Amino acid sequence: VEDFTEFNATENFFLGAYYGFLLLVFILFGFFAIALRQKLYVYFIAYVFVLGIFQFALDGFAYQFLWPSSPWMGNHAILIFAAISIFSLLLYADQFLEFYNIQGWFYKLYRSFYLLTFLGFICSFTQGISYELCFPILNGLSFIFMCFFFVGIYLKYQQGNPTETPTAIAFVFLWLGAIFFILSNVNIIENEFLANNAIKLGSAAEITLLSLA
């Protein structure tokens, strides 16, 4: 009992620190978005906000505190906000990394990712087999998209417009967090801590570096 209480206290401290950090970043960059009226900041705070709601749903807090009387939302919220968080990340990366300046096959394929994510968003409202397949599909899409970010960073480098090192490292952390999260959830890596917290650790490191970039 004592060990379980200590574990709960540590986990609650970690969760409080993570959500507090996201809230701080959201408020701070919200002020920047209002004062500077730049689309980039709007995309960034949208990504941070939706990522926070996704994690809140993943941890079970969203159903407990936000929609306790809606079992349907409790069942579908994780998939819905997973799709929206991927979509917002695509928008933010497009603006921040200036992928729109890379012409040809790369940007055409990148724009198709918006459609694929939207289809995943639609599937998150369904029932049956499409609903069951939605989560692994979104996991797979997020992994492919994040790998594609590095293709874009490499193409920018070839064009003589290299990405700043902290920015590239930020996406590496998110990529690693996503990999460990996916591998833990399909039981390739059997680690409950990684299954619950890999995305949090990766996204916290990513957001910290992007905030400083």
Side-chain angles (χ1 to χ4, degrees), residues 18 21-22 25 29 44 47-48 166-167 170 173 200-213:
Y18 177 75
F21 169 70
L22 290 185
V25 170
F29 281 86
F44 183 61
Y47 167 59
V48 171
T167 301
F173 275 116
K200 293 185 183 70
L201 293 171
S203 62
E206 177 221 12
I207 290 171
T208 300
L209 289 167
L210 291 178
S211 299
L212 299 173

Side-chain angles (χ1 to χ4, degrees), residues 142-192:
S142 64
F143 175 75
I144 293 169
F145 297 165
M146 280 184 280
C147 289
F148 208 70
F149 290 159
F150 296 111
V151 175
I153 289 171
Y154 175 72
L155 291 176
K156 285 184 61 182
Y157 175 79
Q158 280 194 321
Q159 291 179 351
N161 185 22
T163 302
E164 293 183 1
T165 301
T167 301
I169 294 173
F171 283 97
V172 169
F173 275 116
L174 183 63
W175 182 70
L176 288 174
I179 286 177
F180 283 115
F181 174 78
I182 293 168
L183 293 180
S184 299
N185 277 278
V186 296
N187 295 321
I188 294 177
I189 296 177
E190 295 184 5
N191 188 302
E192 186 178 352

Side-chain angles (χ1 to χ4, degrees), residues 18-192:
Y18 177 75
Y19 289 116
F21 169 70
L22 290 185
L23 181 61
L24 177 64
V25 170
F26 178 78
I27 293 172
L28 180 62
F29 281 86
F31 282 123
F32 288 161
I34 294 170
L36 300 177
R37 298 173 184 263
Q38 289 187 9
K39 186 163 55 174
L40 179 63
Y41 289 120
V42 175
Y43 288 153
F44 183 61
I45 62 172
Y47 167 59
V48 171
F49 176 77
V50 178
L51 176 67
I53 297 295
F54 166 66
Q55 291 292 342
F56 212 56
L58 199 60
D59 290 328
F61 296 133
Y63 180 64
Q64 184 178 355
F65 296 110
L66 299 181
W67 38 77
S69 59
S70 177
W72 185 91
M73 194 63 182
N75 289 329
H76 292 262
I78 292 174
L79 296 180
I80 291 171
F81 287 101
I84 299 174
S85 65
I86 294 170
F87 195 88
S88 61
L89 177 60
L90 287 170
L91 285 171
Y92 174 68
D94 189 5
Q95 290 295 311
F96 186 66
L97 297 173
E98 298 179 339
F99 285 155
Y100 52 82
N101 287 329
I102 305 175
Q103 301 301 319
W105 66 269
F106 174 85
Y107 198 59
K108 289 179 181 178
L109 188 55
Y110 190 91
R111 291 179 67 180
S112 73
F113 293 164
Y114 293 114
L115 176 61
L116 292 174
T117 306
F118 179 72
L119 293 176
F121 174 73
I122 296 299
C123 285
S124 68
F125 289 88
T126 62
Q127 303 285 346
I129 187 66
S130 59
Y131 172 81
E132 293 173 8
L133 292 175
C134 189
F135 193 64
I137 288 172
L138 287 174
N139 275 334
L141 288 176
S142 64
F143 175 75
I144 293 169
F145 297 165
M146 280 184 280
C147 289
F148 208 70
F149 290 159
F150 296 111
V151 175
I153 289 171
Y154 175 72
L155 291 176
K156 285 184 61 182
Y157 175 79
Q158 280 194 321
Q159 291 179 351
N161 185 22
T163 302
E164 293 183 1
T165 301
T167 301
I169 294 173
F171 283 97
V172 169
F173 275 116
L174 183 63
W175 182 70
L176 288 174
I179 286 177
F180 283 115
F181 174 78
I182 293 168
L183 293 180
S184 299
N185 277 278
V186 296
N187 295 321
I188 294 177
I189 296 177
E190 295 184 5
N191 188 302
E192 186 178 352

